[in-house]
Amino acid sequence: MEIRRFRADELDELYDIAVLTGAGGEDATGVYEHPELLGHVYVAPFAVYQPDLAFVAADADGVAGYVLGAADVRPLAEVLERDWWPDLRRRYPLETADDADRWLVELIHRPTPAPAQILDRYPSEFHIDLLPRCQGHGAGRRLMERLFTALRDAGSPGVHCGVDPNNERAIGFYTHLGFERHEQAGGATLFVMPL
């Protein structure tokens, strides 16, 4: 499994992986009316706008996993508000979203950053997804190490990510890597780590 920088022509593969892992780490095929919303929210904002912090795990069959990061999500949020979310808000009106898609459409219309006290200490954010063929062989750890090195080189003091509280495999992975768990209002779970 090769760990390397993401290439722009692989964006569709990353969108596919987001769907194949989009139900608490399991396959979300058939769950959403608009499955591309997962990629619109969790892939493109990072891969397109922070490509220097986008890495993939690839084998002979293609991309099997990725980690996408932002050195500081606050300036990224400003860019997304100007350049990314407006078109998506027109394409996916909140009032027409069906039940399965509603939470993703709400994130497009009302992005919810981590609390300021988290962002002050852990301004970097990441998203990682691995297909089953990429799991259990150290590729996830190698992806994270590659991202952490890039974030340290960018001067980041710390990193955070949101986790579906039902994704026990991801929770175990972050705990094993040394992340600290922070429960947030509304049932959200954040994991943080100083760099």
Side-chain angles (χ1 to χ4, degrees), residues 169-189:
R169 195 171 24 204
I171 290 168
F173 175 68
Y174 297 132
T175 302
H176 182 73
L177 288 179
F179 278 81
E180 179 182 331
R181 186 174 183 158
H182 279 261
E183 300 296 333
Q184 302 294 307
T189 302

Side-chain angles (χ1 to χ4, degrees), residues 13 26 47 49 52 60 77 89 103 112 127 130 133 181 189:
E13 290 178 81
E26 302 298 326
Y49 294 98
D52 290 345
R89 289 171 181 152
W103 72 277
T112 54
H127 296 278
L130 306 171
R133 76 176 196 263
R181 186 174 183 158
T189 302

Side-chain angles (χ1 to χ4, degrees), residues 8-54:
D9 65 346
E10 296 170 324
L11 188 62
D12 288 344
E13 290 178 81
L14 271 57
Y15 266 62
D16 291 344
I17 292 169
V19 173
L20 293 171
T21 60
E26 302 298 326
D27 190 348
T29 301
V31 172
Y32 300 102
E33 180 179 352
H34 298 285
E36 70 278 5
L37 286 167
L38 288 163
H40 291 339
V41 172
Y42 294 112
V43 173
F46 298 89
V48 172
Y49 294 98
Q50 301 270 284
D52 290 345
L53 297 171

Side-chain angles (χ1 to χ4, degrees), residues 8 20 22-23 30 42 44 53 80 107 114 120 123 147 153 160 178 184 190:
L20 293 171
Y42 294 112
L53 297 171
L80 296 175
L107 287 174
D120 289 344
L147 176 65
D153 290 348
H160 74 276
Q184 302 294 307
L190 288 177

Side-chain angles (χ1 to χ4, degrees), residues 86-171:
D87 179 57
L88 291 173
R89 289 171 181 152
R90 285 188 291 275
R91 288 169 52 195
Y92 304 98
L94 189 55
E95 60 275 5
T96 63
D98 75 355
D99 289 343
D101 291 358
R102 179 162 294 281
W103 72 277
L104 289 162
V105 175
E106 285 179 357
L107 287 174
I108 288 169
H109 286 266
R110 294 188 280 278
T112 54
Q117 67 268 24
I118 296 289
L119 294 179
D120 289 344
R121 294 182 62 199
Y122 312 98
S124 299
E125 182 177 335
F126 72 91
H127 296 278
I128 183 171
D129 285 307
L130 306 171
L131 294 178
R133 76 176 196 263
C134 188
Q135 296 172 7
H137 307 291
R141 176 181 284 281
R142 290 173 53 214
L143 280 167
M144 296 295 287
E145 288 170 354
R146 183 81 182 262
L147 176 65
F148 292 165
T149 297
L151 289 172
R152 284 185 194 101
D153 290 348
S156 174
V159 64
H160 74 276
C161 72
V163 180
D164 179 337
N166 298 315
N167 191 339
E168 293 178 15
R169 195 171 24 204
I171 290 168

